[in-house]
């Protein structure tokens, strides 16, 4: 038995995870109580929410059962920008113990706030997240999420400490030091973006470190969309289990949802975050199993309650029972955000579709970039993808054949032709945080 499988069998039930297993009727009762309270709070303390409710002639008392949530107004990202910096706070600054901010691509960041109670809730959902994937006290967690205004670093940090694990607050970047620490400190679990972990895999290979021989057994990966094919690549190359964690600063940070050891999509911590799926065009609620935009309501957040926040993440809710016994519904892995979609020659394309199409083909590495250009009036999509060194030194004929295979795979996946350019390993720039998959050079 290798050291990895020995560690995997050592799963300990954490008492903090009890809410994960609440009977549904009890959970719904709790959700309704909390929903009524949070809507009252938002109505009486957040001017924007109150005016929208008044415009729609709604009162907080409108909420009689959970389905009534569908009558409440949505909150969108621009609401956070328009009320910058503190306009959506429901608590006075003296009760707020922490601020975080996320940088937008343009202009001002969005600012989020936490009371002491909110930080406790956040910590508790992170403890439940680690426990869900079998990480427990005694584990040594390398936290390579960025520390600072970004919620990833501190969110995972407090959760790991409260779990009783040993946390190494290494933050992002400095790949060589990351590997040294991983090896010398006997790290058993790592938190970072999946694309950064791929970078660590590469660098380890270069330094002659075999990740399979290290005690590292679990990766808690999030903060960017990734695909099932990417998970398979990561697991095959490193010998660890790769788990998907979901969260966003507007709601709380990491720890909104987390995969259990069955690895079949993150369970939403529904006692704190109420999920809905809507048709992104009409705003109409959709039933479980149907794909649409994820909308979340914070049921317990005091400093900044979010009512029906549109995440722009495309997924489906499933109420199918999970083998782990958790009663929490799951979301399908989020591999695309409506924000990431680009339009090429009139066709909607998501980077995750390209990723899946590429990783289906043998000889290709999970590093790619999509470059969009325009020649006169014609949009051109070039997909640059790294291939293994063995493939790269192959004959011209073999390379052309691979190129053809990849183009075909992309066309059948997305319905649009792409020019595929095979590049040497390490040609595409590595990210130390979230990967930048699309370079759109069409805007003059
Ligand atoms: Zn499960």
């Amino acid at each position: 038995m290798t050291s990895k499988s020995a560690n995997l069998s050592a799963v300990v039930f954490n008492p903090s995870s009890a809410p994960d297993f609440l009977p549904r009727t009890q959970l719904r009762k709790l959700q309704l109580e909390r929903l009524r309270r949070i809507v009252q709070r938002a109505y009486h303390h957040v001017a924007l929410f109150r005016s929208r409710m008044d415009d729609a002639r709604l009162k907080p008392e409108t909420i009689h059962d959970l389905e009534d949530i569908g009558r409440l107004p949505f909150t969108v990202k621009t609401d956070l920008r328009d009320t910058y910096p503190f306009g959506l706070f429901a608590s006075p600054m003296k009760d707020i113990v922490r601020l975080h901010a996320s940088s937008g691509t343009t202009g001002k960041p969005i600012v989020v706030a936490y009371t002491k109670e909110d930080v406790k809730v956040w910590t508790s959902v992170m403890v439940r997240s680690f426990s869900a994937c079998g990480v427990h006290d005694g584990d040594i967690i390398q936290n390579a999420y960025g520390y600072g205004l970004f919620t990833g670093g501190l969110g995972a940090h407090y959760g790991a400490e409260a779990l009783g694990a040993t946390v190494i607050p290494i933050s992002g970047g400095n790949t060589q030091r990351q590997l040294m620490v991983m090896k010398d400190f006997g790290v058993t679990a790592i938190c970072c973006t999946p694309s950064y972990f791929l970078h660590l895999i590469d660098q380890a290979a270069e330094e002659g470190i075999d990740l399979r021989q290290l005690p590292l057994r679990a990766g808690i990966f999030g903060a960017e969309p990734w695909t099932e094919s990417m998970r398979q690549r990561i697991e095959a190359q490193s010998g660890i289990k790769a788990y998907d964690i979901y969260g966003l600063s507007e709601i709380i940070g990491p720890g909104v949802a987390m995969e259990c050891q069955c690895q079949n999509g993150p369970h939403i911590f529904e006692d704190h975050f109420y999920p809905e799926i809507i048709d992104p065009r009409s705003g109409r609620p959709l039933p479980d199993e149907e794909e649409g935009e994820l909308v979340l309501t914070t049921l317990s957040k005091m400093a900044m309650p979010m009512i029906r926040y549109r995440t722009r993440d495309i997924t489906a809710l499933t109420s199918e029972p999970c083998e782990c016994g958790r009663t929490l519904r799951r979301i399908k892995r989020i591999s695309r955000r409506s924000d990431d979609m680009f339009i090429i020659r009139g066709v909607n394309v998501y980077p995750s579709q390209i990723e899946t199409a590429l990783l289906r083909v043998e000889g290709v590495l999970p590093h790619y970039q999509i470059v969009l250009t325009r020649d006169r009036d014609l949009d051109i999509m070039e997909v640059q993808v790294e291939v293994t060194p063995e493939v790269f030194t192959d004959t011209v004929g073999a390379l052309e054949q691979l190129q053809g295979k990849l183009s075909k795979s992309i066309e059948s996946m997305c319905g649009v032709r792409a020019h595929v350019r095979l590049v040497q390993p390490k040609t595409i720039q590595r990210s130390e945080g979230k990967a930048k998959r699309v370079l759109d050079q069409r805007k003059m």
Side-chain angles (χ1 to χ4, degrees), residues 260-262 264 267 322-326 330:
C260 66
Q261 289 183 296
C262 304
N264 52 6
H267 287 279
C322 183
E323 270 182 53
C324 74
R326 282 178 176 74
R330 284 170 286 134

Side-chain angles (χ1 to χ4, degrees), residues 393-414:
T393 51
D394 229 330
T395 62
V396 176
L399 286 174
E400 278 174 358
Q401 209 179 8
L402 178 62
Q403 238 166 357
K405 239 192 215 172
L406 288 166
S407 300
K408 225 181 238 166
S409 180
I410 291 171
E411 197 176 344
S412 75
M413 189 82 193
C414 314

Side-chain angles (χ1 to χ4, degrees), residues 85-107:
F86 307 146
L88 295 184
F89 292 7
S91 298
M93 200 52 90
K94 73 171 177 47
D95 294 338
I96 288 171
V97 298
R98 179 109 61 87
L99 297 176
H100 278 283
S102 83
S103 54
T105 40
T106 50

Side-chain angles (χ1 to χ4, degrees), residues 41-52 75-93 96 99-100 108-113 302-306:
R41 184 174 179 84
Y43 186 79
H44 293 293
H45 298 280
V46 183
L48 179 82
F49 182 68
R50 184 168 57 248
S51 73
R52 283 192 185 154
T75 309
V76 292
K77 193 161 196 163
T78 46
D79 292 335
L80 284 110
R81 295 229 172 85
D82 296 346
T83 55
Y84 173 87
F86 307 146
L88 295 184
F89 292 7
S91 298
M93 200 52 90
I96 288 171
L99 297 176
H100 278 283
K108 303 273 192 196
I110 57 161
V111 183
V112 296
M302 293 289 121
M304 200 169 148
M306 277 287 139

Side-chain angles (χ1 to χ4, degrees), residues 371-374 439-444:
V371 185
L372 307 175
T373 51
R374 186 169 289 153
L439 276 183
D440 195 344
Q441 298 170 339
R442 293 178 296 181
K443 292 157 202 138
M444 319 289 167

